[in-house]
Amino acid sequence: MTAIIGITATLAILSLAVIFGTDVVGTLVQRSVYADLEDRALVQVVGRGHYYADRRMPAIGIPGTILTAATAAAAFAWGTPPAGILATVGFVLVVTWLLVYARVAKPINATLTAAALADEVPADTRALQARWESILPLRVALLGAAIALLSVALLLV
């Protein structure tokens, strides 16, 4: 049964790593690139990026969230409580990431996507982008810690 825990943990880590990597690139690279763009270009690039990401990334993130919970449940069910505790804390971190995304990023994504598709430039474009970018360090920390906890849980099984 530890094989099931290992499989769920490994797949959760791989899934969450995609989202984590995207947030890291946003933090280290995209913020600087976007700062150099004029507002119309910023809206087009960011808005269209969100258009596709908001439709495609859930296919990666949802399984990662479910697999993180499954890892915790399996670890407790099959007698590996330390791994279960670590995976549970990791799951709480992933859910926290989702709440931050839903409350801050998603509404901004929707606004910039709509503006890009309508070929409009909101007056508060820079403020919206600054708010979106302001949560990147938190998002990176939450998923980085969740992945680290799942990795340690994997070592314990």
Side-chain angles (χ1 to χ4, degrees):
M1 294 303 168
T2 58
I4 292 172
I5 302 167
I7 291 168
T8 59
T10 299
L11 293 175
I13 290 165
L14 290 172
S15 176
L16 296 176
V18 171
I19 311 298
F20 173 76
T22 302
D23 285 350
V24 169
V25 169
T27 303
L28 297 177
V29 177
Q30 291 174 324
R31 288 195 303 185
S32 298
V33 171
Y34 296 158
D36 290 340
L37 297 177
E38 56 96 8
D39 287 359
R40 180 165 300 284
L42 174 67
V43 169
Q44 286 300 314
V45 170
V46 171
R48 290 177 188 277
H50 292 315
Y51 174 81
Y52 292 106
D54 286 348
R55 283 157 180 75
R56 296 176 181 173
M57 295 300 271
I60 303 295
I62 291 169
T65 303
I66 292 167
L67 288 161
T68 301
T71 300
F76 282 119
W78 289 309
T80 318
I85 291 167
L86 293 172
T88 299
V89 174
F91 178 70
V92 169
L93 294 174
V94 171
V95 169
T96 303
W97 184 99
L98 286 167
L99 292 172
V100 169
Y101 170 80
R103 293 190 64 152
V104 179
K106 189 159 180 60
I108 295 169
N109 293 4
T111 299
L112 292 176
T113 296
L117 296 177
D119 197 25
E120 298 172 353
V121 179
D124 60 347
T125 293
R126 292 292 167 176
L128 288 169
Q129 187 61 23
R131 176 72 175 129
W132 191 91
E133 292 171 356
S134 73
I135 63 169
L136 281 173
L138 176 60
R139 288 169 48 164
V140 167
L142 289 168
L143 283 188
I147 291 167
L149 289 167
L150 283 166
S151 297
V152 175
L154 183 58
L155 291 174
L156 296 177
V157 297

